[in-house]
Amino acid sequence: MIDYSYISNADPAYIDHLYQTYLRNPQLIDPDWQKFFEGYSYSKYDDANQTESQSGISGDSSIESELNVRLLIEAYRNRAHLISDTNPIRKRKNRDARLDLSDFHLQEKERTHVFIAGRSLGLQNATLDQIVEKLQAVYCGKIGFELQHLESMEKRKWLLEKIEADASQPHFNLNIHDKKQILHKLNGAVIFEKFLHTKYVGQKRFSLEGGESTIPALEFIAQEATIQGVEEVVLGMAHRGRLNVLANIAGKTYEQIFNEFEGHAIPDMSFGGGDVKYHLGFSSQILMPSGHRVQIKLAPNPSHLEAVNPVVEGLARAKADLIYQSQYDKILPILIHGDSAIAGQGIVYETVQMSKLDGYYAGGTIHFVINNQIGFTTDFDDARSSTYCTAAANTIQAPVFHVNGDDPEAVVYVAKLAVAYRQRFNEDVFIDMVCYRRHGHNEGDDPKFTQPLLYSLIQNHPNVRELYIETLTQRGDIEAVLAREMEREFWTVLQQHLEMVKEKPLPYVYQEPELSWKSLKKLSAPEDFDTSPHTGIDLQTAENLFAATIEIPEGFRLLPKTGKIFKNWKTNLEQKTFDWSMAEILAYASILSDGKNVRLSGQDVKRGTFSHRHAVIRDEINNVPHNRLSKLSKNQGQFFIYNSLLSEFAVLGFEYGYSLASPDHLVLWEAQFGDFSNGAQVVLDQFIASGQSKWNRMSGLVLLLPHGYDGQGPEHSSARLERFLQACSEFNMIVANVSTPANFFHILRRQLQWNFRKPLIMMSPKSLLRHSKCVSPLKDFDLKTKFMEVITDIPGTKEQTPDKIVLCSGQIYYDLADHRDSTNQKNIGIARVEQLYPFPKFQISKLLRRFPKAKYIWCQEEPMNMGAAQFIKDQLTPFKIEIVARPAASSPAVGFKKIHDLQHQALLTQIFS
């Protein structure tokens, strides 16, 4: 079907083309156009003797004018958002919308002519004036509907029908109950900010003043969503207006908020350092005015503004998978953006780009922009190149509703429309509420330094509550005295809560984690890491599980190279040895057989960057996939594996969010190369490393970061081990660089065996994936085995103690052992520190006591100023240990293989000379 939604100022040649198409095959024409063309003539193709009256037109209009009116209607639908009255403070820029009659070759004298084209607006026998009046009422009022980028005729038609039926109606068809509810929420929003501004002069709170219509918008989104089946709402937002949302939407009590302002909320440091009040999360169950209950969760967020976006999406997806059986209508993610942040931060683009992908789909998100037209001190002219801050919406063809924040009824209307669209199509939708910021970036900042003209306007501008009261009283909907009484009553309530806190401060209490976390231990102690729990499995079970993973479905045609890999695995299994990929698959299979889920995502994880995993294989002829871990047993857990988009920041944030909602399941993210994690540094620093200390939120997320110096240049050698170790404290995460397949198996299973959860940062190998000596015998997986924090390799007898003991981690062990054995230096022992943090002091102390006279060396393949060198020195203070490493460097590795080999040989020579 030809799509006419994009026709604006078509030239006559194009109009001819449309009509010729109709003459050849009417079925190719849009139904509205078919109705238009049926029985009417087009002068260029009519018989010369046919009269205008015979064409079926009354004489008021010609076919050419009819076409032009139709083009005018389409132009309003596509471009009127450029002139809609959405800015409450200043005049809109001239965006050259070109919606004058002359732009469509229509004349003033035709204003009183009747046009059939009005039928598409629901107008019968309408004059041009009536058509334009309806278009301006719908598309040029307080809402600008940006829909021209929607390719789907179904979605576009659905929206147009609803918009054109409702948006021109008085007060958007809101009843008196809705209006009182709007006023009630505005009252709470405005007076709450006014109260805080009066009582806590100069204290930072990042107020919502100027954007208070956010509160009724969120209230109606939640209410409409629950009516349409939503049971849980997950919110993500930065700090602007967060306290107001916590108080008036999420249900945090005024006492709790005032307690934080009074400075009484000082945590017991055993819980962690805590966070500022406008970063904290909250969760509660709210009874909506409709009588429905909804669980509302506001995710905690650092000052990296939009960084919470993928975390919220991951939380929502996990809950949909694990609680709601993938019924996305049951859970609704809402992201609240700032206009500068949504336009300027790349994480927004990454998050929306993943929104329709199988592995990251969350059923559609409502994006709500508090567009105060300024970022810190930067005006929007300097903040973006795009017309709107919501340009990312065009990427995924999400509709955008631009709305004037000073018209709360218009805001509520688009809020309800957004919910209806999301529930109908389960895709993203954007609300861009244009408003202003009453104060500076924070309450102590003077905005007139940089925007004197803008803030002279804002200074005298009445707040939205005052404007709405005036509107309601003029209509006769309420009396002014009632509005004043509501303000006095609410102020009194706030004052009473404040006095209660002043008289009896509340103790600091971290909000309890969700129910699924309550069976787990909240805090870890040093003794928790002295030794690991048993994580082995029955050996016959191990053989059977792995055998099941290499069974090929009947008729499945393996690629020859894949077939060779499978043949090698089968041979290894017969010989009762496991290489790295076999141990990894066995770990997943054993966890799945326990009824727990495994989720693994990242770039190319199905086969693995280094073609070692092959968790999903494809038929050589028809490309049909086979998931090796999906059919192990009837009652197994689900194995979710997804090749991700080329993103680290958003994908890692998503997986972190997923892990927050799934403590009983194993969640992993694999970087294509370890250094790719650099692109997700905000997630690593602000969430993974510090989330429990700041917000009391545990995570068992596993990061697999390929790491190792193989002479391949600086970019893909190092996963920046030193950065993770610098972020380690308070038992916040596990950092490991293991060297055997069995130990990898055990450390993965240990993630779910512990009675607490910690993120695991795994320096995953590259060369060891196929190293002939990097194999583990089957016995290393049995029931009595567990993860080994330190593996010692001390040659000789009890009488022969080593002169040197080399401590190391990861793949360099094999080079050290080969060189020692080839030179027959039995006086040198090697100890592999498999877990770097928490540092295995218990095991290392035993080694030091056993060989007190030996010389100890830490050997690493990274440069002296990188890797674990400084960390090891700090851990073994005041014990004297020599460091052997590559020379200090600014780049992680050299770019030439020959130089790499010379440096590597120098390490060995220094140790074994």
Side-chain angles (χ1 to χ4, degrees):
M1 179 179 289
I2 294 175
D3 181 359
Y4 294 98
S5 63
Y6 295 92
I7 301 173
S8 54
N9 292 325
D11 60 26
Y14 188 60
I15 297 172
D16 289 346
H17 163 71
L18 298 182
Y19 190 69
Q20 289 180 65
T21 302
Y22 166 73
L23 293 176
R24 289 195 305 272
N25 190 345
Q27 298 306 314
L28 292 177
I29 303 298
D30 176 270
D32 287 341
W33 281 93
Q34 287 184 38
K35 292 176 184 176
F36 171 72
F37 281 127
E38 284 172 4
Y40 303 115
S41 61
Y42 182 54
S43 58
K44 185 172 181 178
Y45 298 98
D46 274 350
D47 185 275
N49 296 322
Q50 188 176 19
T51 64
E52 190 176 81
S53 60
Q54 289 174 312
S55 72
I57 297 177
S58 65
D60 284 341
S61 63
S62 67
I63 286 292
E64 185 174 354
S65 293
E66 284 284 356
L67 286 168
N68 289 335
V69 172
R70 180 59 189 256
L71 295 175
L72 173 70
I73 293 170
E74 289 298 332
Y76 265 88
R77 289 168 172 170
N78 290 339
R79 300 201 303 276
H81 59 85
L82 296 171
I83 60 171
S84 54
D85 183 15
T86 55
N87 197 320
I89 292 297
R90 46 187 170 180
K91 186 178 179 181
R92 292 200 60 179
K93 280 188 173 183
N94 180 6
R95 301 288 185 182
D96 193 24
R98 299 195 65 184
L99 293 174
D100 293 336
L101 295 184
S102 59
D103 292 317
F104 300 89
H105 309 294
L106 292 167
Q107 300 176 25
E108 287 295 316
K109 66 181 181 181
E110 293 180 283
R111 283 185 175 275
T112 57
H113 291 191
V114 173
F115 288 92
I116 299 167
R119 292 177 184 175
S120 67
L121 289 169
L123 300 175
Q124 298 294 327
N125 301 318
T127 64
L128 179 56
D129 265 344
Q130 290 171 325
I131 291 170
V132 171
E133 183 182 2
K134 172 75 178 276
L135 290 170
Q136 290 184 342
V138 173
Y139 293 108
C140 300
K142 301 295 185 181
I143 306 170
F145 298 98
E146 189 183 355
L147 311 174
Q148 73 275 9
H149 53 286
L150 271 64
E151 293 176 4
S152 167
M153 287 293 292
E154 179 192 5
K155 295 168 191 170
R156 183 179 168 82
K157 186 176 180 181
W158 185 90
L159 280 167
L160 289 176
E161 286 178 355
K162 290 187 74 65
I163 290 166
E164 289 169 1
D166 298 335
S168 63
Q169 299 302 313
H171 323 316
F172 302 98
N173 278 328
L174 295 172
N175 58 40
I176 189 63
H177 174 76
D178 291 335
K179 295 171 187 177
K180 287 183 177 179
Q181 190 177 346
I182 291 171
L183 180 58
H184 173 71
K185 299 311 287 188
L186 284 177
N187 194 65
V190 171
I191 304 306
F192 177 76
E193 296 289 1
K194 185 177 179 181
F195 186 85
L196 292 179
H197 196 66
T198 303
K199 301 296 181 180
Y200 301 103
V201 178
Q203 277 207 44
K204 286 184 183 179
R205 69 181 192 278
F206 298 99
S207 82
L208 190 58
E209 289 172 88
E212 294 97 335
S213 290
T214 301
I215 300 304
L218 293 177
E219 173 81 359
F220 275 85
I221 287 173
Q223 179 171 305
E224 287 297 308
T226 56
I227 292 171
Q228 297 188 42
V230 169
E231 296 180 11
E232 186 165 359
V233 171
V234 186
L235 281 163
M237 68 180 299
H239 38 265
R240 175 74 54 205
R242 191 182 188 92
L243 295 178
N244 211 313
V245 170
L246 281 165
N248 290 306
I249 297 297
K252 190 169 184 176
T253 67
Y254 299 121
E255 288 99 322
Q256 289 173 298
I257 294 172
F258 296 154
N259 202 57
E260 291 165 357
F261 272 99
E262 290 291 317
H264 300 315
I266 300 175
D268 174 352
M269 292 303 287
S270 63
F271 282 91
D275 202 351
V276 292
K277 51 188 169 289
Y278 40 80
H279 288 172
L280 300 177
F282 198 76
S283 182
S284 62
Q285 193 175 78
I286 303 295
L287 178 65
M288 303 306 299
S290 61
H292 296 82
R293 289 190 177 274
V294 61
Q295 185 75 29
I296 293 183
K297 180 179 180 63
L298 176 63
N301 192 58
S303 279
H304 281 73
L305 303 179
E306 305 289 336
V308 79
N309 293 359
V311 177
V312 166
E313 302 297 340
L315 264 167
R317 172 59 180 263
K319 288 174 175 286
D321 283 346
L322 306 173
I323 300 174
Y324 301 113
Q325 293 77 48
S326 297
Q327 296 180 56
Y328 295 102
D329 282 350
K330 298 278 188 184
I331 184 163
L332 171 64
I334 301 174
L335 294 176
I336 304 173
H337 309 272
D339 54 306
S340 291
I342 193 175
Q345 297 195 3
I347 186 60
V348 177
Y349 173 83
E350 291 186 33
T351 303
V352 299
Q353 186 64 271
M354 67 164 57
S355 65
K356 296 183 181 181
L357 303 180
D358 285 346
Y360 311 95
Y361 178 70
T365 298
I366 293 179
H367 300 262
F368 189 92
V369 184
I370 302 176
N371 185 348
N372 54 43
Q373 308 182 65
I374 197 168
F376 202 164
T377 67
T378 304
D379 210 334
F380 65 77
D381 282 334
D382 298 316
R384 63 178 188 265
S385 299
S386 57
T387 300
Y388 296 115
C389 63
T390 52
N394 297 42
T395 305
I396 54 169
Q397 298 174 42
V400 185
F401 310 137
H402 307 280
V403 61
N404 191 315
D406 268 1
D407 188 338
E409 291 182 353
V411 174
V412 165
Y413 170 74
V414 295
K416 295 169 75 171
L417 180 62
V419 173
Y421 181 88
R422 190 272 180 179
Q423 293 300 90
R424 172 68 175 79
F425 297 106
N426 287 119
E427 290 187 1
D428 289 27
V429 56
F430 286 68
I431 298 171
D432 173 25
M433 188 188 76
V434 185
C435 52
Y436 57 94
R437 191 181 69 193
R438 176 70 64 183
H439 307 290
H441 176 65
N442 60 62
E443 286 64 36
D445 176 51
D446 188 348
K448 285 193 173 182
F449 285 142
T450 49
Q451 274 86 17
L453 180 60
L454 175 62
Y455 273 87
S456 65
L457 296 173
I458 291 173
Q459 185 176 356
N460 300 312
H461 191 77
N463 67 55
V464 63
R465 175 181 173 275
E466 293 169 348
L467 293 172
Y468 193 50
I469 289 171
E470 183 180 347
T471 299
L472 292 178
T473 53
Q474 284 178 355
R475 291 182 193 155
D477 290 333
I478 67 164
E479 296 179 1
V481 65
L482 173 61
R484 289 193 294 271
E485 185 62 31
M486 288 174 67
E487 178 175 2
R488 281 196 299 270
E489 288 178 359
F490 189 61
W491 188 277
T492 301
V493 168
L494 292 176
Q495 184 64 44
Q496 288 171 349
H497 287 298
L498 176 58
E499 289 170 0
M500 288 169 58
V501 167
K502 286 179 177 291
E503 290 174 13
K504 188 176 180 181
L506 301 176
Y508 186 91
V509 179
Y510 264 121
Q511 191 189 9
E512 283 291 315
E514 293 186 41
L515 184 63
S516 55
W517 290 93
K518 287 191 176 178
S519 62
L520 296 170
K521 192 175 176 181
K522 294 183 181 68
L523 298 172
S524 302
E527 56 270 20
D528 290 331
F529 301 97
D530 283 347
T531 184
S532 293
H534 287 97
T535 45
I537 61 176
D538 176 76
L539 293 184
Q540 188 59 57
T541 300
E543 290 188 77
N544 293 342
L545 280 174
F546 190 78
T549 70
I550 55 175
E551 287 181 6
I552 305 301
E554 187 176 348
F556 193 93
R557 290 150 296 198
L558 272 176
L559 282 163
K561 284 186 177 180
T562 312
K564 186 177 179 181
I565 294 169
F566 272 63
K567 185 178 179 181
N568 290 339
W569 285 338
K570 188 173 182 181
T571 300
N572 287 351
L573 186 61
E574 291 168 353
Q575 297 173 354
K576 300 188 184 303
T577 59
F578 281 70
D579 67 14
W580 197 275
S581 58
M582 293 173 70
E584 179 185 10
I585 293 296
L586 181 61
Y588 301 152
S590 62
I591 291 169
L592 292 167
S593 67
D594 291 338
K596 297 174 181 177
N597 297 344
V598 175
R599 177 184 166 93
L600 170 61
S601 85
Q603 294 146 23
D604 310 299
V605 293
K606 290 183 179 179
R607 74 158 215 192
T609 297
F610 308 103
S611 301
H612 74 288
R613 182 175 293 119
H614 296 284
V616 176
I617 55 177
R618 290 189 176 272
D619 188 288
E620 182 181 16
I621 305 301
N622 58 26
N623 208 43
V624 171
H626 168 59
N627 186 326
R628 293 171 54 204
L629 289 151
S630 63
K631 296 182 180 178
L632 302 175
S633 65
K634 289 183 179 179
N635 299 318
Q636 71 167 77
Q638 290 183 275
F639 182 58
F640 301 109
I641 183 167
Y642 301 103
N643 285 343
S644 74
L645 67 163
L646 192 62
S647 156
E648 290 80 41
F649 192 169
V651 174
L652 182 57
F654 187 98
E655 301 306 337
Y656 174 77
Y658 198 101
S659 72
L660 294 179
S662 55
D664 297 325
H665 307 284
L666 186 66
V667 183
L668 309 96
W669 174 71
E670 182 177 58
Q672 195 173 57
F673 288 90
D675 65 308
F676 280 25
S677 64
N678 290 344
Q681 199 64 47
V682 171
V683 179
L684 296 171
D685 291 341
Q686 305 298 328
F687 293 93
I688 293 173
S690 57
Q692 185 168 8
S693 175
K694 293 192 293 188
W695 310 314
N696 195 29
R697 291 294 175 265
M698 293 181 286
S699 166
L701 179 64
V702 178
L703 275 65
L704 302 179
L705 308 179
H707 175 87
Y709 282 59
D710 303 306
Q712 298 297 312
E715 298 310 322
H716 301 322
S717 295
S718 177
R720 292 292 190 174
L721 173 62
E722 64 279 359
R723 293 181 181 171
F724 292 100
L725 294 175
Q726 287 166 2
C728 287
S729 187
E730 303 173 304
F731 307 107
N732 59 332
M733 55 187 175
I734 315 300
V735 179
N737 191 10
V738 307
S739 61
T740 75
N743 233 16
F744 184 43
F745 166 88
H746 288 297
I747 201 170
L748 289 178
R749 285 184 54 80
R750 189 181 69 172
Q751 284 297 101
L752 299 183
Q753 197 77 11
W754 268 331
N755 64 345
F756 54 87
R757 295 289 178 264
K758 297 290 177 184
L760 168 60
I761 313 300
M762 178 73 194
M763 298 291 110
S764 186
K766 296 179 291 183
S767 66
L768 297 189
L769 299 175
R770 293 178 179 83
H771 197 291
S772 60
K773 293 186 179 179
C774 186
V775 293
S776 296
L778 180 61
K779 65 181 179 61
D780 287 355
F781 300 86
D782 76 16
L783 288 168
K784 296 180 180 179
T785 57
K786 59 186 178 181
F787 177 72
M788 300 173 68
E789 289 81 4
V790 177
I791 302 175
T792 56
D793 177 4
I794 311 294
T797 63
K798 289 183 179 180
E799 291 76 24
Q800 278 185 307
T801 59
D803 298 325
K804 292 180 184 177
I805 294 180
V806 182
L807 303 178
C808 66
S809 71
Q811 69 179 24
I812 200 171
Y813 160 75
Y814 292 93
D815 297 327
L816 293 169
D818 283 348
H819 193 91
R820 179 195 61 186
D821 296 343
S822 66
T823 55
N824 198 29
Q825 298 191 48
K826 295 182 179 179
N827 63 325
I828 297 179
I830 304 174
R832 287 172 266 177
V833 183
E834 302 280 286
Q835 178 177 292
L836 291 160
Y837 187 83
F839 188 70
K841 291 183 179 179
F842 177 74
Q843 292 85 348
I844 293 294
S845 296
K846 286 173 63 177
L847 182 68
L848 297 177
R849 288 195 301 270
R850 183 180 170 195
F851 304 111
K853 296 182 180 180
K855 178 182 180 180
Y856 285 86
I857 298 171
W858 171 259
C859 178
Q860 66 179 35
E861 52 186 346
E862 301 90 352
M864 183 69 77
N865 58 324
M866 301 178 193
Q870 187 59 49
F871 176 80
I872 292 295
K873 285 180 72 174
D874 293 343
Q875 294 299 317
L876 294 179
T877 301
F879 186 82
K880 190 174 181 181
I881 186 167
E882 180 184 344
I883 306 295
V884 175
R886 282 180 162 79
S890 58
S891 177
V894 296
F896 302 97
K897 181 69 163 62
K898 185 172 287 188
I899 299 176
H900 163 85
D901 291 342
L902 289 171
Q903 289 181 341
H904 193 70
Q905 188 58 45
L907 293 179
L908 299 177
T909 300
Q910 186 175 348
I911 289 170
F912 292 102
S913 61

